[in-house]
Amino acid sequence: MNKDKVGKNTEAANQKEDLVEKFTRVSDKFTTAKKTYGLSDRTFMFFFLLPSLFILLFLVGYPFITLIKSGFYNFSVLRAATPPKFIGVENFSFILTDPFTWERFIFTGKFVILNVLVQFLLGIGIAYLLQKNFRGRSLVLTLILMPMMLCPIVVGLFWKYMFNTEWGIVNYILALFGMGKVEWLARENVSVYSVIIVDTWMWTPFMILLALAAFTAIPKYLYEAAEIDRASSWFKFRHITLPLSAPVLIIAVLFRMIDSIKAFDLIYTLTGGGPGSATQTLSFDLYKRAFQYFYTGEASAYGVILLLVIMSLSLIFIRYLNRLAAQNMRR
Amino acid sequence: MSRVKLENLKKHYGNVKAVDGIDLQVENGSFVVLLGPSGCGKTTTLRCIAGLEIPTEGKIYFDERDVTGLSPSERNVGMVFQFYALYPHMSVLENITFPLRACRVPPRKIEEKVKEVVQIFQLKNLLKYKASILPPGDQQRVALARAVVREPNVLLLDEPLSALDEKFREEMRSELGKLQKRIGITTVYVTHDQREAMALGDVIVVMRDGLILQTGSPQELYEHPNSVFVGNFLGTPGMNFVECVYEENSLVLKGTDYRLKLHRPDLIDVLKDYQSREFIMGIRPEYVHIDGEAVNGGLLLEVIAIEPAGRYRLVDFLVGEKIFRVRTDWGLSLVAGQKVWARVREDKVCIFDRDNGMAIVS
Amino acid sequence: MLELRNISKVFGDIVAVDGLNLEVQDGEFFVILGPTGAGKTTTLRIVMGLEKPDAGEVYYDGQEITHVAPPLRNFAFMFESHNLYPVLNVYDNLAFPLRSPLFRVPEDEVRRRVESVAKELHITHLLKRKVSHLSGGEQQRVALGRALVRKPRIYILDEPISSLDYKLREELQTEFKRIHEEYGITILSATHDNISAMAMASRIGIMEHGRIIQVGSPREVYIDPANVSVARIIGAPSMNFLECNLGDDKLVIKDSHDFFFRVKLETVRLLEEKLRGGDRILVGIWPENVLVSGSTGEAWMKAVVENVEYHGAEKFVNLNLGGWPIKALLTDDFVPKHGSEVFVSLPEESLYFFYVDSGMRIYAN
């Protein structure tokens, strides 16, 4: 062994001594360190969460409990002086046996299904077209998303003007093509479609946005592989795009569905629920009972029922989503 | 099956010249490997052949047919992507039948074809599983099955083994080689791993900076590299290089007083003109012999490290400032620090120009 | 000396480490070699203190450290994905471990150490660069440098180079080996790359299903593999295996009556005795020991050529021997054609015998 090597070995030995010394010093430090900081990471975490927990409790927990409670009482905020009277499930049974409720229920169902279906088809269709890169794509995208950014009340108001039978622009354009006047908002069987048109105009962009996000998340190489496999555009869409974007699309549909069930603001300004009660959804009905007739107890019960309906619908969707996920994982 | 011909193929992305003028002929049924470091343009070339990229310039022919402007679906190629690109939501069976279903092949015919590839790739037990949950090795087999099920003109493979474990890679490499010979399909294979290239290729095309550096059989390239780059890139490990000067019929290794007396007339003939100019000598690790005792014309070196590799070992020396690696069997017992005598096999010496790295004699 | 005693770790219903015992001597380069999912990373994380074992203890120099927090163990860890700090430049990345509150070192000492390590690893010219602007190989060097600036008791490396380009890997594996010898440090590393493991290690521990199944120098495990798994993983290429039935004075390859090779009577006796009535046996042979010839001789079997693989210095031929795949090293200039017939002989002195069921060696030669 030459000199060099020996030199290195002693150096290594020195290093080792160094190490031993360092280790003992570190251990000392550790014991002192433990005394200074009494809080563990977990405690810290808890403290940081505390404020939000409180806010959640007061803003969600308290009103929710009050809602359920007042559902069992005969009570109106107008008669705050009269103490609420406990009447058991009478509010619930009244609502569920009221034929008017069922009428609203069926209408809401029709409205929701039609509304979501139209928006879904339009949404993925437009998203599919927007996938390709073309000049001015981002401008088109921004313009398309605009309706979603507006306030529903405003949307309702200006569509109300546009749908005006006598001087609205919609009938004016129809007249240019030689078509007669349509009473968009005043006829019972037309007004439903008018509401759907406006809701679709406003919320299809949401579908487009989510569908587009889902589509672009599909890796490009799958399309390349399909291209190599000589698949047509439709075949690719049907067998790659749709199944792979399904989870996101389902969530989008769920969102639109929940939103449609509780559609209120748009309808309020557009038709005021009319003509008659033709465009009153369940939530509109609820609003009337709560804030026009001030049947507070009854409205609370109504709210609870509505909540249960939405929750069970969501559950079905989430079940389906989980099944999709499980299928992808299954061996 | 087709012959593939590339004529002056170029693909530029803005200022980046990914492929910058390639001429290549792939014979019917042969296995050609495009080999090079990342960014050399090998994948782009492959994608041009597939039709996934439209070349900026040049022509691509399948047999006599000009396919340059055709889309992938009009070319009938099979391709295995780097990470397989299996359809993750489909079962193995659905993946394999996809190319057939996409072309509306009748179900009876599909069944027949599936039976065939399932047999070749031993997929029988996997058919019902989702492609995304399979281990990489199985995915690779599925991807191969999908690529050949339609009997394409050409099979294109883009680093198909890079996602696998070292050991498994070696096994799949052998499998792939056997399969290609059995099916006899024209194959273009892209890799940065020279071991794969050597093991699989009938012809290896070494690429660098969008250009072909050298084309030839594995053995040609290994024994006669046309540049320092190829010499270093091929081989496990690559060639050893030492700077030298030529004096009186001998090579004098820089940093030593070792003189390698030359007998080869072709070397002497060329090196006459390099009188007192530096150049590079290259020698493969297995063409240096080491001995425990002094030998005539030997170079005394100190062992720095020994790297065992199973049936043989690599012994590292320092020549000048360069690591010099010698491949040897286990006959001689060696330890680090020991001095041994090394002898270079003159008939295997390659000479390279120091400035541009190209071969002078190889 | 680092010692793992009877370590087990379970994640859900997956047993990652299963009663593992391991000793790493000071100054050793110990490599755990095993396929993905063997439990290598978990083992290293337990050594590091990032994971608590469900059972078993970790000792360092006789002192139990199973529950000592990671930073206090003073082990350096280099991850598979070299986790450098992308916002810092190379210098600051290298200096980082020295500036940590636990191991604070004066700034001029930091400079001295960073510069000497940078010089050692040939990355001095990169010191000012942002890490995100480096190539993969350069990043790997920086990551290694960051482990080297500190003087930890052990360096723990998880797949230190296997994510790199093959050529770079070769270069770095030599570098690792050199640094290990020069610094006289202790390294514990894990990898699935058998070639770099063999090249770098002073000792290899082969791991499978959460256990170390054999420990030895690279040469030892190659000459004397304890079971089929070891033989499969360490060779490049792997050992050939043939399932055979024991005959009177020969071994008959399974499912093929015409394919047999003679062995000595005493070998048959010994095998008979060990097999206790069974007659199936797994025969292993390294590719370099299979003899291939274009013409027949005594005790040669006919095989069909699948293809020839070039490995640079060597050529291998893939053969079909009675339905079994066999790889053989071609020694002379004989290069058989695809589909042609050649003759194969398996010399008895280079055969390994394994039990078919357990995969264990029947007896050491």
Side-chain angles (χ1 to χ4, degrees):
Chain A
M1 202 172 270
N2 59 13
K3 262 185 188 164
D4 231 54
K5 200 83 188 172
V6 176
K8 261 164 209 156
N9 286 351
T10 40
E11 205 181 291
N14 287 341
Q15 270 183 20
K16 226 187 131 191
E17 273 175 30
D18 246 37
L19 278 176
V20 174
E21 181 212 342
K22 179 142 271 168
F23 182 70
T24 33
R25 218 175 58 214
V26 167
S27 332
D28 291 342
K29 223 170 192 172
F30 180 65
T31 38
T32 47
K34 198 163 187 189
K35 279 171 201 155
T36 347
Y37 306 106
L39 294 177
S40 68
D41 288 357
R42 197 169 273 275
T43 332
F44 257 120
M45 218 162 69
F46 182 70
F47 272 113
F48 276 114
L49 278 176
L50 218 54
S52 16
L53 278 177
F54 269 119
I55 290 172
L56 208 69
L57 207 65
F58 278 107
L59 289 184
V60 179
Y62 173 71
F64 185 65
I65 291 163
T66 317
L67 172 85
I68 293 176
K69 207 183 95 187
S70 40
F72 295 97
Y73 285 85
N74 184 356
F75 169 59
S76 166
V77 285
L78 285 184
R79 292 174 283 116
T82 357
K85 188 177 146 216
F86 183 80
I87 51 169
V89 294
E90 207 174 290
N91 279 332
F92 292 91
S93 60
F94 172 73
I95 293 161
L96 290 175
T97 51
D98 183 2
F100 186 73
T101 318
W102 286 104
E103 214 174 275
R104 290 306 95 213
F105 186 81
I106 287 165
F107 165 75
T108 309
K110 259 201 244 167
F111 170 75
V112 168
I113 289 169
L114 213 59
N115 202 23
V116 173
L117 188 70
V118 171
Q119 290 178 19
F120 175 75
L121 291 178
L122 269 178
I124 59 170
I126 295 172
Y128 183 77
L129 295 178
L130 284 175
Q131 250 184 309
K132 303 206 173 65
N133 229 337
F134 54 87
R135 269 178 75 93
R137 176 173 177 267
S138 44
L139 182 73
V140 172
L141 208 59
T142 319
L143 284 177
I144 283 183
L145 294 185
M146 211 101 105
M148 209 170 70
M149 302 171 196
L150 297 174
C151 168
I153 303 285
V154 177
V155 173
L157 278 175
F158 72 66
W159 273 98
K160 189 174 176 176
Y161 292 124
M162 298 206 308
F163 274 147
N164 188 293
T165 316
E166 297 305 323
W167 39 264
I169 190 162
V170 179
N171 274 350
Y172 171 76
I173 290 170
L174 286 183
L176 289 183
F177 291 98
M179 285 152 95
K181 284 179 181 166
V182 179
E183 292 178 275
W184 289 104
L185 303 173
R187 259 182 200 278
E188 208 168 298
N189 46 2
V190 182
S191 59
V192 181
Y193 299 103
S194 308
V195 172
I196 290 177
I197 288 171
V198 179
D199 198 78
T200 301
W201 180 83
M202 182 161 178
W203 289 113
T204 304
F206 176 80
M207 276 310 300
I208 297 174
L209 203 65
L210 272 132
L212 204 56
F215 291 172
T216 37
I218 298 172
K220 206 171 142 240
Y221 57 74
L222 289 183
Y223 291 108
E224 287 184 345
E227 184 84 6
I228 297 271
D229 288 341
R230 303 205 276 185
S232 64
S233 299
W234 167 247
F235 202 82
K236 276 187 269 187
F237 182 75
R238 165 79 187 74
H239 289 280
I240 295 174
T241 314
L242 264 192
L244 284 176
S245 55
V248 178
L249 294 180
I250 286 170
I251 289 179
V253 166
L254 177 66
F255 272 150
R256 286 312 306 137
M257 208 140 171
I258 293 173
D259 263 2
S260 307
I261 292 174
K262 59 193 184 81
F264 171 74
D265 35 17
L266 210 85
I267 297 176
Y268 182 78
T269 42
L270 198 63
T271 64
S277 58
T279 52
Q280 279 183 22
T281 53
L282 284 171
S283 48
F284 201 99
D285 194 18
L286 168 61
Y287 155 78
K288 280 178 93 170
R289 291 182 201 227
F291 300 111
Q292 283 190 351
Y293 315 137
F294 287 102
Y295 303 147
T296 310
E298 189 186 310
S300 300
Y302 206 115
V304 171
I305 293 171
L306 205 54
L307 184 75
L308 287 176
V309 170
I310 291 182
M311 265 170 52
S312 40
L313 264 177
S314 309
L315 215 68
I316 294 171
F317 274 83
I318 289 165
R319 278 261 173 86
Y320 185 65
L321 259 182
N322 284 342
R323 220 177 65 202
L324 271 187
Q327 257 177 21
N328 285 336
M329 297 303 293
R330 203 176 51 210
R331 180 145 266 236
Chain B
M1 258 190 298
S2 300
R3 190 164 49 96
V4 177
K5 201 165 101 188
L6 308 181
E7 260 180 28
N8 191 28
L9 188 77
K10 286 185 185 174
K11 178 69 188 177
H12 297 175
Y13 300 97
N15 287 328
V16 182
K17 293 172 178 173
V19 179
D20 200 21
I22 279 189
D23 291 288
L24 178 67
Q25 185 143 334
V26 181
E27 291 308 329
N28 206 341
S30 75
F31 197 125
V32 169
V33 180
L34 305 180
L35 172 70
S38 51
C40 71
K42 55 191 192 297
T43 299
T44 309
T45 307
L46 192 79
R47 289 171 61 85
C48 284
I49 300 174
L52 294 170
E53 305 283 346
I54 301 301
T56 315
E57 222 182 291
K59 294 263 180 246
I60 302 170
Y61 295 95
F62 283 8
D63 290 329
E64 305 310 320
R65 193 163 69 113
D66 181 355
V67 298
T68 317
L70 299 185
S71 75
S73 51
E74 291 165 294
R75 296 188 187 194
N76 193 16
V77 292
M79 184 157 171
V80 175
F81 291 78
Q82 187 169 9
F83 296 103
Y84 313 133
L86 295 177
Y87 308 118
H89 53 296
M90 296 182 198
S91 69
V92 169
L93 181 69
E94 287 168 319
N95 262 285
I96 297 174
T97 55
F98 189 93
L100 302 174
R101 286 183 291 138
C103 303
R104 298 232 170 77
V105 174
R108 244 199 38 223
K109 183 100 203 249
I110 290 184
E111 207 173 302
E112 214 169 276
K113 291 298 313 175
V114 166
K115 221 172 184 177
E116 203 173 300
V117 292
V118 163
Q119 169 77 27
I120 296 175
F121 295 96
Q122 297 159 24
L123 294 169
K124 202 168 173 195
N125 302 323
L126 302 179
L127 286 179
K128 60 178 187 298
Y129 293 135
K130 276 255 156 45
S132 51
I133 57 144
L134 295 179
D138 290 341
Q139 288 201 19
Q140 196 229 14
R141 268 162 41 216
V142 176
L144 268 169
R146 185 181 67 181
V148 301
V149 71
R150 211 187 45 224
E151 296 174 15
N153 290 327
V154 188
L155 178 61
L156 306 171
L157 303 154
D158 186 6
E159 308 227 9
L161 303 179
S162 62
L164 305 180
D165 256 25
E166 191 60 42
K167 193 73 231 174
F168 201 49
R169 202 144 133 182
E170 176 200 304
E171 283 167 20
M172 289 312 286
R173 189 173 73 202
S174 292
E175 282 307 309
L176 203 61
K178 289 191 223 169
L179 257 164
Q180 195 270 344
K181 284 282 164 284
R182 233 176 276 158
I183 307 175
I185 188 172
T186 312
T187 305
V188 182
Y189 184 102
V190 160
T191 183
H192 67 261
D193 185 340
Q194 56 91 19
R195 291 171 303 171
E196 278 171 29
M198 298 281 270
L200 292 170
D202 295 323
V203 174
I204 298 178
V205 179
V206 182
M207 289 182 68
R208 192 174 62 162
D209 301 333
L211 291 168
I212 292 179
L213 207 56
Q214 193 175 5
T215 305
S217 74
Q219 219 162 3
E220 271 166 42
L221 262 57
Y222 188 79
E223 297 283 345
H224 309 291
N226 73 349
S227 57
V228 168
F229 181 83
V230 175
N232 178 48
F233 202 75
L234 261 59
T236 320
M239 215 173 219
N240 295 302
F241 298 103
V242 193
E243 288 176 343
C244 296
V245 284
Y246 177 72
E247 274 173 20
E248 299 159 21
N249 285 353
S250 303
L251 291 175
V252 181
L253 272 54
K254 207 181 160 193
T256 69
D257 49 5
Y258 176 66
R259 290 166 161 271
L260 175 64
K261 182 98 175 107
L262 294 180
H263 305 282
R264 263 166 75 184
D266 61 324
L267 281 183
I268 295 170
D269 213 37
V270 173
L271 290 177
K272 278 203 312 268
D273 307 334
Y274 277 77
Q275 215 62 259
S276 73
R277 255 174 71 198
E278 276 184 18
F279 51 85
I280 295 172
M281 179 194 86
I283 185 84
R284 292 276 174 205
E286 63 272 28
Y287 297 140
V288 180
H289 295 298
I290 51 177
D291 238 310
E293 285 150 37
V295 283
N296 202 9
L299 167 63
L300 190 62
L301 291 171
E302 186 193 325
V303 176
I304 302 177
I306 298 160
E307 300 178 30
R311 65 190 166 281
Y312 62 92
R313 57 190 162 167
L314 293 169
V315 184
D316 299 353
F317 300 100
L318 215 55
V319 174
E321 291 180 339
K322 287 240 174 64
I323 297 263
F324 204 84
R325 305 171 94 185
V326 174
R327 182 187 162 126
T328 170
D329 59 24
W330 293 87
L332 198 64
S333 84
L334 291 171
V335 289
Q338 191 179 340
K339 301 251 178 173
V340 293
W341 296 86
R343 210 154 28 91
V344 171
R345 258 178 78 177
E346 189 202 346
D347 59 326
K348 296 295 184 183
V349 163
C350 299
I351 303 293
F352 303 92
D353 190 296
R354 208 187 66 151
D355 301 324
N356 62 15
M358 298 309 285
I360 303 164
V361 182
S362 78
Chain C
M1 186 177 76
L2 175 79
E3 218 180 320
L4 302 184
R5 287 190 203 154
N6 231 347
I7 298 279
S8 290
K9 178 76 188 175
V10 178
F11 297 106
D13 51 359
I14 295 164
V15 182
V17 183
D18 187 13
L20 173 134
N21 288 295
L22 185 66
E23 268 177 31
V24 180
Q25 309 292 342
D26 288 342
E28 197 171 37
F29 195 148
F30 194 100
V31 179
I32 301 176
L33 172 65
T36 308
K40 305 184 297 281
T41 300
T42 311
T43 307
L44 293 190
R45 287 174 63 85
I46 287 171
V47 172
M48 212 41 216
L50 298 170
E51 211 82 67
K52 294 268 169 282
D54 295 333
E57 303 97 45
V58 184
Y59 289 88
Y60 186 83
D61 279 351
Q63 193 181 347
E64 197 196 327
I65 56 165
T66 321
H67 299 287
V68 174
L72 302 175
R73 297 187 181 198
N74 195 13
F75 297 166
F77 195 26
M78 198 173 130
F79 289 90
E80 179 167 13
S81 48
H82 26 78
N83 54 337
L84 300 172
Y85 304 104
V87 291
L88 300 180
N89 64 21
V90 171
Y91 182 90
D92 289 331
N93 261 291
L94 290 176
F96 199 89
L98 301 176
R99 290 172 176 163
S100 99
L102 279 174
F103 293 89
R104 178 94 65 192
V105 166
E107 203 57 29
D108 51 333
E109 169 73 7
V110 170
R111 173 163 297 277
R112 203 183 58 74
R113 284 215 219 155
V114 167
E115 278 171 0
S116 83
V117 165
K119 186 157 166 268
E120 193 67 48
L121 291 172
H122 312 294
I123 50 173
T124 308
H125 61 292
L126 302 174
L127 283 176
K128 293 254 149 46
R129 293 248 216 111
K130 272 267 169 58
V131 166
S132 44
H133 295 171
L134 302 181
S135 73
E138 288 167 343
Q139 289 193 14
Q140 205 68 30
R141 277 165 199 267
V142 176
L144 176 60
R146 203 172 58 178
L148 285 173
V149 286
R150 257 173 65 194
K151 291 169 182 163
R153 306 200 269 183
I154 298 187
Y155 294 87
I156 293 167
L157 316 173
D158 188 10
E159 301 281 5
I161 50 177
S162 54
S163 61
L164 297 176
D165 253 28
Y166 162 73
K167 270 285 148 185
L168 254 170
R169 215 147 77 190
E170 211 176 85
E171 202 178 290
L172 278 167
Q173 123 199 347
T174 311
E175 193 108 311
F176 270 77
K177 182 128 185 160
R178 181 178 63 85
I179 285 168
H180 169 250
E181 305 222 327
E182 258 173 41
Y183 281 56
I185 52 181
T186 310
I187 300 180
L188 171 61
S189 165
T191 182
H192 63 75
D193 178 353
N194 56 315
I195 297 171
S196 72
M198 295 281 267
M200 295 191 297
S202 22
R203 280 199 306 156
I204 290 186
I206 287 131
M207 190 163 183
E208 198 186 41
H209 305 312
R211 289 167 192 232
I212 299 274
I213 47 181
Q214 189 176 6
V215 175
S217 77
R219 185 63 182 154
E220 278 163 22
V221 287
Y222 188 82
I223 296 180
D224 197 16
N227 64 19
V228 172
S229 304
V230 175
R232 254 183 54 104
I233 198 164
I234 49 168
S238 305
M239 191 180 263
N240 295 301
F241 294 105
L242 293 159
E243 200 178 323
C244 296
N245 293 70
L246 206 53
D248 312 334
D249 59 344
K250 61 193 177 190
L251 291 166
V252 184
I253 297 175
K254 199 189 158 206
D255 302 331
S256 59
H257 296 289
D258 329 340
F259 292 90
F260 60 85
F261 44 100
R262 297 193 189 283
V263 283
K264 284 198 211 90
L265 227 59
E266 50 201 280
T267 311
V268 176
R269 289 280 143 70
L270 192 53
L271 289 172
E272 256 171 0
E273 187 185 313
K274 295 270 182 185
L275 287 170
R276 291 172 189 219
D279 71 336
R280 290 191 310 153
I281 182 175
L282 202 60
V283 175
I285 183 165
W286 289 113
E288 63 269 28
N289 296 330
V290 179
L291 303 178
V292 180
S293 163
S295 56
T296 181
E298 202 186 331
W300 294 72
M301 290 175 282
K302 220 187 261 177
V304 180
V305 177
E306 297 259 19
N307 69 337
V308 175
E309 291 180 15
Y310 289 89
H311 286 205
E314 305 167 318
K315 296 183 284 278
F316 289 91
V317 61
N318 284 313
L319 301 168
N320 182 334
L321 180 64
W324 292 79
I326 289 285
K327 190 176 281 225
L329 179 71
L330 293 171
T331 40
D332 38 22
D333 285 338
F334 172 59
V335 182
K337 284 235 160 17
H338 160 66
S340 67
E341 278 186 349
V342 291
F343 297 90
V344 169
S345 171
L346 312 173
E348 183 182 344
E349 63 276 12
S350 42
L351 298 180
Y352 295 83
F353 302 114
F354 302 91
Y355 290 105
V356 173
D357 304 323
S358 64
M360 299 304 290
R361 272 280 280 291
I362 294 178
Y363 62 86
N365 302 40

